[in-house]
Amino acid sequence: MSSIQSLIIIAIILIVILVIAFMLIMNRRQLREIIAIDDTMNKIEKMHLGQDIDRLDKMDLAGESLTTLKTWRKSYQEASTKKLPEVQHLVEKAADQNTHYHLFKARKNIRKAQGIIKTTFDDAKNTKDVFTELLESNRENQIQYDSLIKDYHDIRKMVLADSFDYGAALDQIENELTTMENDFAEAKNLSSQGDHVEAKRVLSKIKMTLTSLKEQLPKLKEGRHQLDTVFQDQLRELSTTYKKMVSDKYYISEVNVLNEIKSIHDQIDDARDLLANLNVKKLAEKNKKIKKEIDNLYDVLGKEYKARPFVKNNQAKMLKLISHQQVESKRLVEKMQHIDESYELTHGELDKSKHLEEEVNDMNRQYTIDTQNIADGKGVYSEIKDSWLAMLDRLREIDDEQKKMSQDVDGLYDSENVANDSVNQFKQEVSLVYRRLERRKLPGNPDAFVQMYTLVVNEIGHVSDELSQVRINMEKISDELIQISDDVERLKREADDIINSADLVELTMQYSNKYSSKDSIKQAQEKTMKLYSQDYNYKEALDTIATAIEKVEPGSYQRLENLYYSDKNNK
């Protein structure tokens, strides 16, 4: 036998082994599926649906319960007479085919049986649930009935005992209880007739009504208590208090209290309709609104009652403070008018003092109106209190402003004296500067210095003229004096520079004579003398000779300068 033939034989053997193995595996799997179908059929059988139907037939069901039984009995009969026998046939056939290894035929019957048994089992479970519910409904309904009837009697006793506490709601509560009583009778009748499904629906309705009524009763009782007791007591108190306050000359303009009380009474009547209809939610909202309006009336009356002692206790004090400020305001205006004759008030002080005086006078007029209204019984104490508190704050502010204004203008006299003293001092200082230059006996004064001197003298003269005017502007004069002070200092420094430059020129010229044989020194001396004697330019003259001498003898001028200032400082 050739090797190819051997391979073919081996391959055939392997294929045969695989086919056999596949068939064995498929056979066992399908056998398990057949057993599973059998188990499901056994489960359906163990549900004992037939026994449940016999028990239900003995209960003499009626109405909805009977209709339900008929519907699911039909489902059970179809399953037991058609579907289950068919499944049984398919399973037996598939089992035989599977045993003889007609595997694909068995597979087909198994699939068909599985499809039928699944829906049949689901229907059977639903049927069992319905039958169980029907069988237990009578017992459950009886338990629920007993529980609900007990709650009903408890509520009825409570309502009867507290009937007064429900007010206008009592009739509707009684109607609710009567309706429930009828529902109990209907549920009992349906149960006795065997219609347990409909009886359960009625009992569910009773349960909902009872639960709702349990929740409503305390809220209705509280709502009625607010309407007929709390609010009534408060409105009587408000009415009595208001009338007494009016007789005691209180005056309220914020609201018409009696109209508000009448409006609240109308709202209470509307709320009683909500109470009568057991409309708990809207009743709570309405009562909340009424409470808020009553509280607002209390606030209004309380505000006036609390404000009166303040007004009474501070009436005389307010008059004293306003009168005092009127006097001070008038004095300040007169003072400003007098000062305005001599000084220019550059910040509107006179107009401002008049404005403050008018403001205080307005306060006095308002105070007079307030006190007259109080006397006539038309004074709104809370408004007067707020007005007077604002007045007190403003009076303090006005007093501070007026004191500051008075102090500021008082300083004008002192400023004028200081200005006159300053002018005299500046005149003396300028005169001393000029005499100092004269004593130095220089050939002449530089044009720049003469111009500055003339400017300063003119500035001093101008300010002196301004100070001699009938009305003077001290603010302007003060600014000018500051400028003059700066210019006088500059003039002093310029005079110092002129004298120092002239002295150094003379000193340096004397020292340069030791080098007079040099042409550069001769030329520098000639130029320096011209600048010194003819042009009076002492600074440039000094620069000319100092530069020349430095070239001949470096450092020589610095020594001369240091020596000069050292001697000057020691004098």
Side-chain angles (χ1 to χ4, degrees):
M1 181 181 297
S2 66
S3 58
I4 294 175
Q5 289 175 330
S6 297
L7 290 173
I8 292 172
I9 291 171
I10 293 170
I12 291 171
I13 292 171
L14 289 173
I15 291 171
V16 170
I17 292 171
L18 289 173
V19 169
I20 292 171
F22 172 75
M23 291 176 70
L24 288 171
I25 293 170
M26 188 173 179
N27 176 270
R28 290 179 182 178
R29 188 177 69 182
Q30 291 184 166
L31 180 60
R32 287 195 298 271
E33 291 175 345
I34 290 169
I35 293 171
I37 294 171
D38 277 334
D39 289 342
T40 303
M41 291 176 69
N42 289 333
K43 287 178 182 178
I44 293 173
E45 185 177 351
K46 289 177 180 179
M47 290 179 186
H48 304 299
L49 297 176
Q51 294 178 16
D52 289 345
I53 291 173
D54 292 339
R55 290 169 61 193
L56 289 168
D57 285 339
K58 293 176 182 178
M59 288 175 62
D60 295 327
L61 299 177
E64 186 66 26
S65 299
L66 182 58
T67 302
T68 302
L69 174 59
K70 289 179 179 179
T71 300
W72 289 97
R73 187 207 298 271
K74 184 179 179 181
S75 175
Y76 166 71
Q77 289 174 344
E78 183 179 357
S80 61
T81 59
K82 293 182 180 179
K83 294 181 179 179
L84 290 175
E86 183 179 1
V87 171
Q88 184 64 41
H89 172 70
L90 291 170
V91 166
E92 290 174 355
K93 189 175 180 180
D96 182 63
Q97 292 169 341
N98 197 58
T99 301
H100 294 88
Y101 285 91
H102 298 156
L103 300 178
F104 292 104
K105 290 181 180 181
R107 162 63 42 202
K108 182 177 178 182
N109 289 322
I110 289 170
R111 288 285 175 264
K112 188 174 180 181
Q114 286 174 332
I116 297 171
I117 198 63
K118 184 179 183 309
T119 57
T120 303
F121 181 73
D122 291 341
D123 289 343
K125 279 205 307 181
N126 292 334
T127 302
K128 182 65 177 178
D129 291 341
V130 172
F131 287 173
T132 300
E133 184 178 355
L134 286 173
L135 288 167
E136 294 180 357
S137 60
N138 184 42
R139 183 173 62 85
E140 290 178 351
N141 286 353
Q142 187 61 48
I143 293 171
Q144 188 175 31
Y145 179 91
D146 293 341
S147 175
L148 292 174
I149 198 71
K150 181 181 181 302
D151 288 346
Y152 167 77
H153 287 308
D154 290 343
I155 289 176
R156 196 163 190 77
K157 287 178 184 178
M158 183 175 65
V159 171
L160 183 62
D162 301 333
S163 58
F164 177 78
D165 293 337
Y166 298 104
L170 184 61
D171 289 342
Q172 188 59 33
I173 293 172
E174 289 289 352
N175 290 338
E176 292 273 351
L177 292 171
T178 300
T179 300
M180 276 192 282
E181 190 172 353
N182 294 333
D183 288 340
F184 276 116
E186 182 183 1
K188 191 171 184 179
N189 184 50
L190 288 168
S191 293
S192 65
Q193 292 177 1
D195 194 352
H196 304 294
V197 172
E198 187 61 21
K200 184 175 183 178
R201 184 190 65 77
V202 175
L203 288 172
S204 295
K205 174 189 171 187
I206 293 172
K207 184 178 180 181
M208 289 177 61
T209 307
L210 269 175
T211 301
S212 175
L213 193 58
K214 276 184 182 180
E215 293 176 354
Q216 288 179 332
L217 287 177
K219 296 177 182 177
L220 292 169
K221 186 185 293 187
E222 175 61 23
R224 202 284 314 172
H225 176 66
Q226 285 185 305
L227 293 174
D228 294 343
T229 302
V230 177
F231 294 160
Q232 297 299 330
D233 291 345
Q234 290 176 334
L235 291 175
R236 277 193 294 271
E237 183 181 35
L238 284 168
S239 179
T240 302
T241 302
Y242 173 71
K243 290 174 182 177
K244 186 176 185 307
M245 289 176 72
V246 171
S247 69
D248 291 341
K249 292 190 175 182
Y250 284 88
Y251 187 76
I252 296 171
S253 61
E254 185 175 342
V255 294
N256 187 317
V257 176
L258 294 180
N259 283 349
E260 285 294 310
I261 291 174
K262 182 180 181 302
S263 172
I264 293 172
H265 275 300
D266 292 339
Q267 292 183 60
I268 289 174
D269 291 338
D270 294 339
R272 285 198 182 99
D273 292 338
L274 297 172
L275 178 68
N277 293 320
L278 308 188
N279 196 332
V280 173
K281 183 178 180 181
K282 288 188 177 180
L283 174 63
E285 292 173 354
K286 190 71 172 177
N287 281 3
K288 185 178 180 181
K289 181 175 181 291
I290 292 171
K291 181 180 182 302
K292 184 177 180 180
E293 293 185 11
I294 289 176
D295 289 344
N296 182 59
L297 285 180
Y298 272 111
D299 290 342
V300 170
L301 297 184
K303 183 169 60 176
E304 297 307 315
Y305 187 80
K306 292 176 183 177
R308 183 169 182 169
F310 172 86
V311 174
K312 292 293 185 182
N313 295 336
N314 288 280
Q315 188 168 339
K317 179 181 177 182
M318 286 298 300
L319 177 61
K320 182 179 179 181
L321 289 172
I322 293 173
S323 299
H324 169 75
Q325 207 61 46
Q326 279 184 302
V327 172
E328 293 301 317
S329 298
K330 185 177 180 181
R331 284 178 181 170
L332 182 63
V333 170
E334 291 173 351
K335 181 178 182 178
M336 291 295 175
Q337 288 174 335
H338 176 70
I339 291 175
D340 190 57
E341 293 174 358
S342 301
Y343 299 96
E344 292 183 21
L345 300 175
T346 55
H347 297 288
E349 288 89 346
L350 178 57
D351 289 340
K352 188 173 182 181
S353 66
K354 289 179 178 179
H355 174 75
L356 293 176
E357 181 186 33
E358 183 60 29
E359 191 175 348
V360 174
N361 290 336
D362 287 341
M363 290 183 191
N364 185 61
R365 283 189 285 272
Q366 182 60 50
Y367 172 82
T368 303
I369 293 171
D370 290 340
T371 53
Q372 186 60 51
N373 284 337
I374 292 170
D376 295 341
K378 294 183 178 179
V380 182
Y381 287 105
S382 62
E383 293 178 0
I384 293 172
K385 178 183 177 182
D386 292 341
S387 174
W388 286 8
L389 285 172
M391 281 185 192
L392 287 171
D393 288 339
R394 184 57 185 147
L395 283 171
R396 281 191 287 268
E397 292 175 357
I398 289 173
D399 186 56
D400 291 341
E401 289 182 53
Q402 290 177 334
K403 285 179 179 176
K404 185 177 185 305
M405 289 172 62
S406 180
Q407 291 171 357
D408 289 345
V409 296
D410 285 344
L412 292 173
Y413 295 111
D414 295 335
S415 297
E416 182 181 5
N417 292 331
V418 170
N420 280 309
D421 291 344
S422 298
V423 167
N424 291 332
Q425 182 181 346
F426 291 148
K427 287 179 179 178
Q428 289 176 4
E429 289 179 359
V430 170
S431 177
L432 287 173
V433 169
Y434 192 78
R435 285 201 299 272
R436 184 181 169 203
L437 286 174
E438 282 186 332
R439 286 197 302 271
R440 183 63 179 76
K441 295 181 180 181
L442 294 171
N445 292 323
D447 290 342
F449 174 81
V450 173
Q451 291 174 2
M452 181 179 293
Y453 174 81
T454 304
L455 172 66
V456 173
V457 170
N458 289 338
E459 286 177 341
I460 294 171
H462 176 70
V463 171
S464 182
D465 290 341
E466 286 184 325
L467 286 168
S468 65
Q469 298 298 314
V470 176
R471 291 178 76 241
I472 60 178
N473 187 330
M474 280 310 305
E475 186 172 355
K476 179 183 177 186
I477 289 172
S478 295
D479 291 340
E480 290 175 345
L481 287 173
I482 292 172
Q483 182 61 49
I484 291 172
S485 177
D486 291 340
D487 291 344
V488 168
E489 291 302 318
R490 285 173 57 203
L491 188 67
K492 288 178 182 180
R493 290 195 298 273
E494 187 64 26
D496 286 341
D497 288 345
I498 290 171
I499 291 171
N500 290 332
S501 295
D503 289 346
L504 284 169
V505 167
E506 293 174 1
L507 184 63
T508 307
M509 284 286 287
Q510 290 174 6
Y511 187 82
S512 67
N513 287 331
K514 63 189 291 187
Y515 299 109
S516 59
S517 59
K518 293 184 178 294
D519 291 339
S520 61
I521 296 298
K522 283 183 179 181
Q523 292 175 2
Q525 287 177 334
E526 291 174 0
K527 184 178 180 181
T528 298
M529 286 304 298
K530 180 177 180 300
L531 290 169
Y532 183 91
S533 303
Q534 299 177 20
D535 298 338
Y536 318 134
N537 193 338
Y538 304 109
K539 292 179 184 178
E540 190 174 346
L542 178 59
D543 288 341
T544 302
I545 191 61
T547 302
I549 199 69
E550 275 292 312
K551 288 180 179 179
V552 174
E553 184 184 342
S556 57
Y557 173 73
Q558 191 63 52
R559 288 196 307 275
L560 291 171
E561 186 180 48
N562 292 340
L563 180 63
Y564 170 77
Y565 283 111
S566 176
D567 290 343
K568 187 174 181 180
N569 291 333
N570 291 330
K571 288 181 180 180

